[in-house]
Amino acid sequence: MTQLHDLTALEQGELIATGKLSPVELTEHYLERIDRLNETVGAYVTVTGDIAREQARQAETDAAQARREERPLSPLFGVPVPVKDLNFVAGVRATLGSVAYAENVPAVDDHVVTRLRAAGTVLLGKTQTPEFGLPCYSENLVAPPARTPWDLERSAGGSSGGAGTAVASGLAPLAHGSDGGGSIRIPASVCGLFGIKPSRGRVASGPTFYDISGLSTSGPLARTVRDAAALLDVLSGSMPGEPYAAPSLAAGETFRGFADRDPGTLRVAVLTQAPVPGVEVHADCLAATESAAELLASLGHSVETLDLPADDTLRNVFGQVWAVMATQTPVAEEDESRLMPLTRHLRALGREVSGPDFAMALYAFRAVGLLVSQLMEAYDVILSPTLAQPPALVGGLRNDADPASEFDAIAAFTPFTPLYNATGQPSVNLPLHWTADGLPIGVMLGGRYGEESTLISLSAQLESARPWAARKPSLW
């Protein structure tokens, strides 16, 4: 029998708009599941039940008024959307994954939350993230670790791991995440979801924290391409003072609309060799990529192998910038010792990076972006593994005794994803492959700057050819 959480987010929104589903009923359904399953999967750090119920009641009233006035609503009106715990919701605890911020309650909304409110979505809570979003797993000292529901011994990835397992476990229909080095695409890969890292400047990042490196951006995690595209429509848009702005869609266009368009015949470059020296790509990740390449060819696309020389430059400069950015979260001197070993290690490294070295690292990002943009004059998209390994065990990447080695292990686990953070290009994870043991293995598509529309159209075509949303973990 179909349950409410079996419906896609857009199906839920349509039923709410037509009066066939109550936002209150939908919200209570998810709150009941969260109460029953959250301790198992570690999706939420803070559950905002009172806020969710109040917003759902208001959404029900507003939806009824809109029907009387024959006025259209946002496609996600009344649909629950949790927010990652790195972002601020006024009046709601924001721990940033750290005991140093365990009692932090901001007074303002981040811009993404302002947009979610304007679209009429319902806040179920704040989702799990590692301390300051630094590693690619979602484990901290604040709340239980985020686990992929496909194997509860394994991590849901990071840093949007709570968002990933919330959607994959049926504790939210879709979720807000953020991505500074793969933090949307990594959880999407290990949780069997579709995730979009938008182009730099597509989604406003303020008003409290600005990532001056340009690495990070917010974006959606969802079970379907259309749901993710609809949430990207909600999140997108510049704000005064933003340092970047991606090209706008033509008037009247939406990302959701591109999910219903044929992408045409595209030129696809296939990259299977990790662009980092000494990193071996697991056979399951290679198999997923090769299978996706065959599927693309069968759909009429031109598919060619791409060999890029392995080079330590991007890893080295990314490490410098990542360490500097780790210092940007204010921490009281008496709380520094309470931070996790990796956080303390990166903050110490960041304080040692000179101004000229930081400037040269950012310059290297721009140089890489130029090289990749020139490469993409010959190709429309690049296909690669999302990760170099299958989902890691909970605690499998942590090394509190040797955080330097931990950071190296993280780089080896995620050698493909940071490229698009450095260049600012859009990138998506597609859940097209599962191992013989039932673990999801994602593949990644990267596109030209500002062309999320192409990735969405192509992803929807692939989803139609090899549907994945009906595949669910046992706790579903």
Side-chain angles (χ1 to χ4, degrees), residues 12-34:
Q12 293 172 356
E14 175 65 20
L15 290 172
I16 288 169
T18 55
K20 298 175 184 176
L21 175 62
S22 159
V24 173
E25 179 188 2
L26 182 63
T27 297
E28 291 293 351
H29 177 82
Y30 280 110
L31 288 173
E32 185 277 329
R33 286 185 62 82
I34 292 168

Side-chain angles (χ1 to χ4, degrees), residues 180 200 215 314 318 365-366 368-369 417-425:
R200 180 177 294 145
L215 291 174
L314 182 59
F318 189 94
F365 287 171
R366 305 296 93 85
V368 170
T417 54
L419 172 65
Y420 299 109
N421 300 91
T423 65
Q425 295 168 254

Side-chain angles (χ1 to χ4, degrees), residues 8-177:
T8 69
L10 284 169
E11 288 171 342
Q12 293 172 356
E14 175 65 20
L15 290 172
I16 288 169
T18 55
K20 298 175 184 176
L21 175 62
S22 159
V24 173
E25 179 188 2
L26 182 63
T27 297
E28 291 293 351
H29 177 82
Y30 280 110
L31 288 173
E32 185 277 329
R33 286 185 62 82
I34 292 168
D35 183 62
R36 181 159 45 88
L37 296 172
N38 188 55
E39 188 173 339
T40 299
V41 298
Y44 291 86
V45 176
T46 301
V47 180
T48 53
D50 290 345
I51 291 173
R53 291 183 177 98
E54 179 182 348
Q55 290 180 338
R57 286 192 294 268
Q58 187 63 52
E60 189 160 303
T61 299
D62 292 346
Q65 180 70 21
R67 285 193 296 275
R68 289 192 293 271
E69 298 173 358
E70 298 184 345
R71 174 168 42 86
L73 293 169
S74 159
L76 297 178
F77 191 89
V79 175
V81 182
V83 173
K84 184 175 176 178
D85 205 32
L86 291 183
N87 288 88
F88 285 0
V89 177
V92 177
R93 183 177 71 142
T95 73
L96 312 184
S98 176
V99 292
Y101 277 78
E103 304 305 323
N104 174 51
V105 179
V108 298
D109 285 339
D110 278 352
H111 292 323
V112 290
V113 175
T114 300
R115 294 192 182 281
L116 288 169
R117 290 188 193 274
T121 65
V122 173
L123 178 70
L124 293 173
K126 305 293 295 300
T127 55
Q128 176 67 302
T129 185
E131 192 165 63
F132 304 159
L134 295 173
C136 62
Y137 53 76
S138 295
E139 303 164 30
N140 56 37
L141 303 178
V142 176
R147 302 171 184 270
T148 176
W150 298 96
D151 179 351
L152 293 173
E153 297 299 314
R154 296 180 184 269
S155 169
S159 61
S160 305
T165 194
V167 178
S169 303
L171 307 190
L174 72 179
H176 159 269

Side-chain angles (χ1 to χ4, degrees), residues 194 225-226 255 257-269 292-293 295-297 299-303 376 379-383 428 430 432 443-447 451-466 468:
F194 182 72
V225 174
R226 286 168 177 79
F255 290 116
F258 278 97
D260 292 330
R261 296 190 186 181
D262 189 299
T265 301
L266 300 177
R267 300 164 297 173
V268 181
L295 179 58
L296 285 162
L299 293 170
H301 301 289
S302 173
V303 179
M376 297 203 74
Y379 301 103
D380 297 300
V381 296
I382 297 175
L383 167 69
V428 301
L430 294 101
L432 291 173
V443 296
M444 186 167 63
L445 296 176
E451 293 190 10
E452 290 92 331
S453 54
T454 299
L455 295 181
I456 288 169
S457 293
L458 179 57
S459 297
Q461 183 188 52
L462 290 165
E463 181 182 25
S464 179
R466 189 180 293 172
W468 58 70

Side-chain angles (χ1 to χ4, degrees), residues 349-391:
L349 289 180
R351 294 185 185 103
E352 295 175 359
V353 177
S354 70
D357 286 344
F358 184 61
M360 288 302 295
L362 296 180
Y363 178 82
F365 287 171
R366 305 296 93 85
V368 170
L370 177 61
L371 289 172
V372 175
S373 66
Q374 291 172 341
L375 172 67
M376 297 203 74
E377 291 178 3
Y379 301 103
D380 297 300
V381 296
I382 297 175
L383 167 69
S384 74
T386 302
L387 299 170
Q389 298 289 327

